[in-house]
């Protein structure tokens, strides 16, 4: 646990990629395979499920430290992280001893699921008695299911590649499949030969796009680029191997069970092929709003009526494997040609090829992009002709050229402490619009401000508090911010009756007095016009 | 308890009506009594200043030499109707608690204090009193400091690791007190030491006071420390062009605020060392108990928390508002800001921990 804790703290502390890779290489070179297996599992983002809630842990820690609950609560508000708060509050360990990571996971973490609350508490307290303060932080993160590390997956793959002497694309691919977190599983991942049985559901790492930073003309001639709609659904790989089909989402979760009709449709695909595309709620010739698709998510069983109400389509735009062979190094156009031929024989209500937009100038393309909102898509994707399918978020070959977000000027009315990196600072704000003489909260937002602006707003909040409600402060309605958002929908849960999609702060409107902020009526008008546009597009 | 208040809070700061003086006044007054020379306690413009003798030289750098006079620790002087004496608070060179006695009533103003060892100043001596006015910057049980020896070992290890990668170690620390304490605490055998001008200006006073500090160079000798030295700079130097002269750097901040990881991360520092010149939770309680005071007035930082906790323990505790609404890291922020404004430290606007004042919006 000491070694893994040092890795956790080193990764957490380093701001440079080379340092992170060096820490990872150091860890994987030294760690026993049984420990390395679990470390790799956690670093790959597969956190253990929560075994004890952070709240309960905090209560036990309060008792162990002999502190009143209110005091512990104040500590939590200051730290903003339950696992860290508990680690800072606990008294020194009574019987410190080194525990191996695999030992902690197998003997202290996994058994918790089968224990009742008092047995769990006893096991946690026993572990507290042995781990030092730093190792406890990591242990608490694992206990509460909050283990996260600021390290990109491709860095983990790069480090392992260095340790194993195997190309990092091979490691990345192996990591995506199912593997057992024990010494043998780990040794398979870093094995120099690929002789072990491949997991039939193993996807490829997704290629991701950056937002287009400037004008599209800067990309060079229009003819060098393939343009498609940017679909607003769930990015996924449809995998057809060994007589079965599977769906992996961008979050790298197996989502096969949630979309049975797509799995049925995939049965018509030949064995040994993997498609990259988007799961969409679809009707006729048009995607339905993302909110409809959301109704299908997170279910173990999908009732038949819901399948009928929200029909699904897999909109394919790339081919990663064909006849059992990795296609990623082939040029985009060659992959697309094979994909088009394949999909021509499939059920078009379930599997489709994402069409390209073939206008010849950037100006014409910009005009098409303006229809995006009416068509229910997020904008355009630009992919370089002839490019391979790359791993991760690589600059240069793929760009997303999204439609401009919508805007509203709103008044800040509440502020709350941020968490994690923003603990101890007021960074989470609630914004309101005018409804007659009253301000009605419309959205919460916490991103979009610079470090200096956050510090300034933080000072403002402290100096202009009207009332405190626990961690929340009601502030004088003085600051106006321009919020950008991607959509607005009716929401009976909100007092305003409306909810914004993806709201964030676009700009601090220091030039605007609060009285000139926008009105709720204005937002209702926007919603009505969007609904009209959607209806027209739907029936046209 | 009986008797009128020996100290009251006014616009100018803490005022002693019977003695005719202010303690750490925020605005110019006729007679100022200073607990210590930090910029949020020692402000220029008053007619005369009285502080503990070892602190005269550093206080004079803040407020102007002519007006500052000193009194040895423990020595008594009569001001107006009261007797005043200074007692070590362990915060930095010359820092003092101010004891005021009037007709058998004793009040003590703690100023800032810490209980841990520090070779650059006299250790704190608890003073028996009826009313104790205590700081409470770090009054939460999450703040329990590791022994300084452990922290210095970590700083040394970080410095050595940077050296191995040919990076200059840049450690941000408050220019007065913390920086000198670090100079005295690190292993100067590891490599050369360089200090920012804001730190350098206080070194002669420390050396004159008999403080053993290693040899240092100034920023004109940057080339000699590049890739191997340890640079001490005020937090306001973070992100400033001044740092460019050191080549590839690794940054760290030595402050009690570094106890919480989020504070380090949002300042985008490589490392944080929770080395504080303020008492931690246990230190505050230990000192308050040792004064024997039944009545405790609280200033700074986490005062409401400590107030509630002390009341639960049976103390007559109350908040004392002095001059400004300071919530949480106010003190650290203000200290950093004032250091930046101090002249030598004024560098860039992107400094870590600086207070940014809202510009008035056009009407
Ligand atoms: Zn101070
Ligand atoms: Zn202070």
């Amino acid at each position: 646990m000491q070694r893994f804790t040092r890795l956790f703290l080193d990764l957490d502390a380093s701001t440079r990629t080379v340092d992170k890779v060096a820490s990872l290489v150091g860890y994987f070179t030294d760690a026993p395979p049984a420990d390395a297996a679990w470390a790799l599992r956690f670093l790959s983002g597969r956190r253990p499920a929560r075994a004890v809630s952070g709240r309960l842990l905090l209560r036990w820690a309060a008792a162990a430290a002999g502190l009143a609950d209110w005091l512990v609560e104040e500590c939590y508000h200051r730290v903003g992280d339950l696992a860290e708060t508990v680690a800072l509050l606990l008294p020194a360990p009574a019987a410190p001893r080194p525990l191996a990571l695999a030992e902690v996971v197998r003997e202290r973490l996994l058994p918790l699921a089968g224990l009742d609350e008092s047995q769990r508490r006893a096991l946690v307290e026993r572990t507290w008695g042995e781990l030092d303060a730093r190792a406890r932080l990591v242990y608490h993160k694992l206990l509460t299911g909050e283990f996260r590390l600021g390290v990109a997956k491709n860095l983990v793959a790069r480090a392992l590649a260095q340790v194993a002497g195997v190309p990092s694309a091979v490691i990345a691919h192996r990591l995506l499949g199912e593997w057992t977190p024990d010494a043998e599983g780990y040794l398979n991942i870093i094995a120099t030969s690929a002789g072990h049985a491949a997991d039939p559901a193993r996807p490829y790492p997704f290629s991701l796009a950056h937002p287009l930073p400037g004008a599209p003309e800067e990309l060079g001639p229009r003819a060098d680029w393939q343009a498609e709609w940017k679909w607003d659904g769930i990015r996924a790989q449809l995998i057809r191997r060994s007589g079965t089909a599977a769906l992996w989402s961008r979050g790298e979760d197996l989502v096969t069970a949630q979309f049975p009709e797509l799995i049925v449709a995939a049965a018509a695909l030949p064995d040994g092929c993997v498609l990259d595309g988007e799961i969409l709620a679809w009707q006729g010739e048009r995607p339905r709003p993302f909110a409809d698709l959301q109704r299908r998510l997170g279910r173990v069983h999908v009732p038949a009526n819901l399948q009928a109400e929200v029909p699904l389509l897999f909109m394919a735009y790339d081919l990663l494997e064909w006849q059992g062979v990795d296609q990623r190094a082939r040029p985009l156009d060659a992959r697309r040609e094979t994909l088009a031929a394949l999909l021509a024989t499939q059920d078009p209500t379930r599997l489709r090829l994402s069409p390209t937009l073939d206008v010849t100038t950037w100006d014409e393309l910009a005009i098409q992009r303006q229809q995006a909102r009416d068509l229910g898509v997020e904008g355009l994707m630009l992919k370089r002709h002839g490019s391979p399918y790359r791993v991760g978020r690589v600059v240069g070959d793929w760009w997303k050229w999204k439609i401009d977000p919508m805007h509203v000027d709103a008044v800040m009315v509440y502020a709350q402490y941020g968490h994690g990196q923003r603990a101890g600072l007021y960074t989470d704000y609630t914004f309101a619009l005018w409804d007659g003489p009253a301000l009605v909260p419309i959205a919460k937002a916490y991103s979009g401000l610079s470090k200096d602006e956050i510090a300034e707003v933080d000072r403002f909040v402290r100096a202009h508090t009207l009332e405190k409600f626990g961690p929340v402060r009601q502030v004088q309605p003085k600051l106006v911010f321009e919020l950008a958002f991607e959509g607005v929908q009716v929401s009976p849960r909100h007092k305003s009756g409306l909810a914004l999609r993806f709201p964030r702060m676009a700009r601090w409107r220091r030039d605007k007095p609060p009285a000139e902020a926008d009105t709720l009526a204005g937002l209702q008008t926007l919603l009505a016009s969007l609904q009209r546009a959607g209806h027209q597009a739907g029936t046209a | 308890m009986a008797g009128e208040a020996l100290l009251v809070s006014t616009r100018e700061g803490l005022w002693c009506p019977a003695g005719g003086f202010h303690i750490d006044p925020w605005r110019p007054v006729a007679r100022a009594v200073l607990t210590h020379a930090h910029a949020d306690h020692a402000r220029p413009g008053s007619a005369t200043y009285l502080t503990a003798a070892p602190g005269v030289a550093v206080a004079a750098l803040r407020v102007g030499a002519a007006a500052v006079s000193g009194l040895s620790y423990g020595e008594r002087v009569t001001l107006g109707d009261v007797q005043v004496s200074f007692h070590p608070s362990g915060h930095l060179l010359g820092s003092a608690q101010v004891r005021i006695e009037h007709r058998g009533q004793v009040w003590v103003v703690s100023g800032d204090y810490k209980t841990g060892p520090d070779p650059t100043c006299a250790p704190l001596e608890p003073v028996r009193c009826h009313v104790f006015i205590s700081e409470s910057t770090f009054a939460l049980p999450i703040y329990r400091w590791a022994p300084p020896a452990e922290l210095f070992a970590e700083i040394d290890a970080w410095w050595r690791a940077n050296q191995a990668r040919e990076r200059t170690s840049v450690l941000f620390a408050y220019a007065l007190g913390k920086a000198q304490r670090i100079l005295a605490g690190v292993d100067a055998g590891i490599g050369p030491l360089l200090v920012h001008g804001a730190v350098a200006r206080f070194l002669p006073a420390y050396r004159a006071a008999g403080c053993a500090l290693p040899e240092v160079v100034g920023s004109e000798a940057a080339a000699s420390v590049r890739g191997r030295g340890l640079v001490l700079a005020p937090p306001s130097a973070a992100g400033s062009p001044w740092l460019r002269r050191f080549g590839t750097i690794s940054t760290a901040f030595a402050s009690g605020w570094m106890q919480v990881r989020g504070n380090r991360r949002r300042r985008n520092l490589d490392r944080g060392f929770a080395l504080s010149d303020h008492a931690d939770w246990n230190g505050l309680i230990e000192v308050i108990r040792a004064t024997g005071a039944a009545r405790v007035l609280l200033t700074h930082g986490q005062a409401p928390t400590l107030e509630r906790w002390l009341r639960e323990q049976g103390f007559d505790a109350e908040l004392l508002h002095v001059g400004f609404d300071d919530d949480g890291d106010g003190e650290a922020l203000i200290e950093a800001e004032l250091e930046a404004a101090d002249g030598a430290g004024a560098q860039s606007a992107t400094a870590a921990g600086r207070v940014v004042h809202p510009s008035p919006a056009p009407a």
Side-chain angles (χ1 to χ4, degrees):
Chain A
M1 196 72 183
Q2 257 72 9
R3 194 183 277 116
F4 185 62
T5 301
R6 205 176 324 120
L7 173 68
F8 176 87
L9 295 173
D10 283 351
L11 289 176
D12 183 57
S14 54
T15 47
R16 294 181 183 85
T17 301
V18 284
D19 293 353
K20 286 185 195 283
V21 174
S23 303
L24 289 164
V25 168
Y27 177 81
F28 285 111
T29 306
D30 293 347
D35 282 1
W38 285 109
L40 183 54
R41 184 120 182 140
F42 300 150
L43 285 164
S44 319
R46 304 223 209 144
R47 293 173 262 156
R50 185 171 81 183
V52 177
S53 80
R55 285 272 150 205
L56 198 56
L57 205 58
L58 197 61
R59 277 225 315 273
W60 295 346
L67 296 167
D69 284 341
W70 69 266
L71 186 53
V72 164
E73 198 60 33
E74 290 211 13
C75 291
Y76 171 48
H77 285 149
R78 172 49 53 100
V79 178
D81 178 319
L82 280 164
E84 187 178 355
T85 309
V86 173
L88 288 171
L89 287 173
L90 287 173
R97 97 185 166 84
L99 289 171
L101 174 62
E103 190 182 354
V104 170
V105 176
R106 280 199 313 259
E107 290 167 25
R108 306 301 173 87
L109 223 50
L110 300 180
L112 287 168
L115 301 179
D116 68 27
E117 190 176 311
S118 69
Q119 291 168 323
R120 288 182 189 196
R121 182 170 181 171
L123 189 55
V124 167
E125 284 175 345
R126 182 175 151 215
T127 312
W128 280 343
E130 294 170 346
L131 294 178
D132 67 31
R134 289 183 175 170
R136 281 171 182 166
L137 171 66
V138 177
Y139 166 63
H140 296 154
K141 294 264 170 199
L142 294 171
L143 264 184
T144 54
E146 282 170 6
F147 187 88
R148 250 177 228 102
L149 265 178
V151 48
K153 285 179 193 174
N154 64 339
L155 292 191
V156 178
R158 207 203 286 179
L160 275 177
Q162 214 170 310
V163 173
V166 171
S168 69
V170 171
I171 300 272
H173 188 200
R174 287 179 189 168
L175 281 176
L176 282 177
E178 270 309 325
W179 58 279
T180 315
D182 56 17
E184 193 195 336
Y186 172 74
L187 293 172
N188 271 337
I189 298 269
I190 59 163
T192 38
S193 69
H196 60 287
D199 169 14
R202 177 187 291 165
Y204 291 91
F206 284 88
S207 179
L208 305 173
H210 274 284
L212 187 65
E217 289 80 6
E218 292 164 24
L219 295 178
R222 166 74 184 91
D224 290 354
W225 295 85
Q226 171 185 306
E228 307 162 42
W229 294 119
K230 181 171 186 337
W231 302 102
D232 185 14
I234 293 167
R235 178 82 182 274
Q237 282 177 39
L238 184 52
I239 299 162
R240 173 87 176 119
R241 287 188 197 122
S242 311
T244 64
L247 267 170
W248 276 82
S249 76
R250 171 50 227 297
E252 282 152 18
D253 289 317
L254 200 54
V255 290
T256 310
Q258 296 178 38
F259 307 107
E261 57 268 61
L262 295 181
I263 299 301
V264 169
L269 292 168
D271 222 51
C273 84
V274 177
L275 313 185
D276 182 11
E278 200 97 0
I279 301 169
L280 297 168
W282 191 266
Q283 194 146 39
E285 290 305 308
R286 179 187 158 75
R288 308 226 316 213
F290 189 79
D292 286 355
L293 183 57
Q294 262 173 330
R295 296 174 54 204
R296 295 284 311 257
L297 305 183
R299 291 173 184 273
V300 183
H301 299 290
V302 188
N305 63 331
L306 192 58
Q307 285 192 37
E309 268 174 53
V310 185
L312 295 180
L313 177 85
F314 187 83
M315 184 67 84
Y317 36 71
D318 218 320
L319 181 70
L320 309 186
E321 187 175 304
W322 177 240
Q323 296 175 336
V325 179
D326 185 345
Q327 301 290 300
R328 295 176 295 164
R330 291 179 71 204
L332 173 65
D333 316 81
R335 299 197 307 270
R336 189 176 165 87
E337 205 183 307
T338 315
L339 179 65
L342 167 66
L343 291 175
T345 64
Q346 301 297 314
D347 173 4
T349 65
R350 293 296 182 214
L351 291 173
R352 260 187 213 209
L353 177 66
S354 174
T356 55
L357 303 173
D358 296 327
V359 292
T360 52
T361 68
W362 287 117
D363 285 347
E364 288 168 299
L365 193 59
I367 291 168
Q368 292 211 315
R369 174 171 160 270
Q370 283 165 10
Q371 306 168 26
R373 188 165 286 137
D374 291 344
L375 296 175
V377 297
E378 289 188 297
L380 296 175
M381 283 298 301
L382 303 174
K383 296 174 185 172
R384 191 190 296 277
H385 283 303
S387 60
Y389 187 93
R390 297 183 189 277
V391 172
R393 205 176 287 280
V394 181
V395 181
D397 286 343
W398 281 27
W399 299 100
K400 48 187 175 194
W401 187 19
K402 300 226 279 189
I403 37 181
D404 297 324
M406 297 172 246
H407 292 92
V408 68
D409 290 331
V411 185
M412 185 174 114
V413 289
Y414 297 102
Q416 191 171 353
Y417 272 149
H419 283 251
Q421 203 164 345
R422 303 153 134 230
L425 270 186
Y426 286 98
T427 58
D428 297 7
Y429 316 123
T430 302
F431 295 96
L433 295 179
W434 292 107
D435 184 18
L439 279 167
V440 184
I442 179 71
K444 279 188 171 182
Y446 52 87
S447 66
L449 293 187
S450 72
K451 246 167 62 178
D452 288 349
E453 285 173 329
I454 289 174
E456 188 174 343
V457 174
D458 181 71
R459 293 296 296 181
F460 169 87
V461 169
R462 291 168 199 273
H464 297 88
T465 298
L466 295 173
E467 220 174 324
K468 292 190 196 178
F469 310 92
V472 179
R473 290 184 178 216
Q474 185 182 9
V475 298
Q476 291 174 20
K478 288 191 167 183
L479 304 187
V480 179
F481 292 83
E482 179 179 311
L483 302 184
F485 53 96
E486 302 298 329
V488 54
Q489 55 200 50
V490 176
S491 166
R493 286 192 302 113
H494 292 83
K495 197 174 164 190
S496 64
L498 298 176
L500 302 184
R501 194 147 175 245
F502 298 135
R504 67 261 181 200
M505 287 167 275
R507 193 147 68 101
W508 186 345
R509 295 296 305 257
R510 295 171 195 260
D511 55 319
K512 270 209 174 180
E516 285 178 25
D518 287 321
T519 62
L520 191 60
L523 198 61
Q524 282 156 346
T525 310
L526 174 67
L527 174 67
S529 72
L530 288 172
Q531 284 172 332
R532 237 181 354 261
H535 184 70
Q536 280 163 4
T539 52
Chain B
M1 58 148 274
E4 81 271 39
L6 266 185
L7 288 164
V8 290
S9 189
T10 68
R11 244 165 58 98
E12 286 74 26
L14 270 185
W15 161 244
C16 176
F21 59 87
H22 288 82
I23 296 181
D24 295 349
W26 278 75
R27 295 160 194 262
V29 298
R31 173 174 272 170
V33 170
L34 298 183
T35 60
H36 66 290
H38 270 152
D40 58 328
H41 295 257
R43 300 182 166 243
S46 292
T48 66
Y49 295 86
L50 180 64
T51 194
V56 170
V58 283
L61 288 170
R62 289 270 191 226
V63 302
V68 186
S69 53
L71 189 66
S72 299
Y73 284 132
E75 191 184 329
R76 293 195 183 182
V77 67
T78 304
L79 295 179
D81 241 1
V82 306
Q83 290 212 296
V84 173
S85 56
F86 294 102
H87 305 267
S89 79
H91 182 54
L92 55 86
L93 178 64
S95 71
Q97 309 171 74
V98 181
R99 180 186 185 276
I100 304 166
E101 184 171 347
H102 179 61
R103 295 182 189 149
Q105 276 297 309
V106 177
W107 288 45
V108 168
V109 179
S110 77
D112 294 340
Y113 62 94
K114 72 167 174 285
T115 53
D118 178 350
T120 66
C121 66
L124 173 133
E125 289 170 15
V127 181
R128 303 285 299 177
C129 56
H130 299 100
V131 180
F132 186 51
I133 299 180
S134 175
E135 67 134 316
S136 53
T137 308
F138 290 109
L140 276 178
I142 50 169
Y143 298 113
R144 286 173 303 158
W145 312 139
E150 256 175 49
L151 292 166
F152 281 115
E154 280 181 26
I155 294 174
D156 289 343
W158 165 74
W159 182 6
R160 283 200 183 91
N162 290 333
Q163 233 176 22
R165 291 176 180 182
E166 297 186 3
R167 288 178 191 164
T168 315
S169 305
V170 176
L171 181 52
F172 299 112
Y174 299 131
L176 171 59
K178 186 72 60 67
Q180 291 75 20
R181 184 181 177 199
I182 291 168
L183 280 177
V186 292
D187 178 357
I190 296 173
L193 290 155
L194 183 146
V195 297
H196 187 279
V199 175
R201 64 194 286 248
F202 296 110
L203 295 184
Y206 268 75
R207 291 210 161 95
C211 219
L213 297 179
E215 279 312 306
V216 299
V217 294
S219 46
E220 68 287 346
S224 70
V225 304
R226 207 173 290 147
R228 61 198 194 98
L230 175 66
V231 174
L232 287 178
S236 55
S240 76
W242 185 79
L243 293 175
R244 283 190 204 139
R245 65 196 73 201
F246 300 113
T248 310
I249 59 174
S250 175
T251 57
F253 187 20
S255 162
W257 302 112
M258 296 296 103
Q259 181 82 342
V260 174
R261 292 184 314 145
N263 285 334
R264 170 181 59 72
R265 284 167 25 180
R266 72 178 153 82
R267 288 180 164 91
N268 209 15
L269 297 157
D270 297 316
R271 293 294 294 270
F273 302 105
L275 179 75
S276 180
D277 284 334
H278 292 271
D280 64 4
W281 170 255
N282 292 335
L284 289 165
I285 291 168
E286 178 195 323
V287 171
I288 289 170
R289 288 213 160 109
T291 64
R295 184 165 162 73
V296 182
L297 303 176
L298 300 160
T299 66
H300 275 25
Q302 211 62 36
T305 309
L306 190 53
E307 178 200 31
R308 180 169 172 188
W309 188 88
L310 287 170
R311 282 171 177 236
E312 287 183 358
Q313 314 303 311
F315 285 87
D316 173 13
E318 216 177 293
L319 302 186
L320 179 69
H321 291 283
V322 280
F324 66 107
D325 174 31
D326 173 15
D327 184 4
D329 12 19
E331 178 175 39
L333 292 172
I334 285 164
E335 280 183 1
E337 178 199 29
L338 292 172
E339 276 174 332
D342 238 10
Q347 288 286 352
S348 115
T350 57
R354 262 188 83 180
V355 178
V356 184
H357 290 292
S359 48

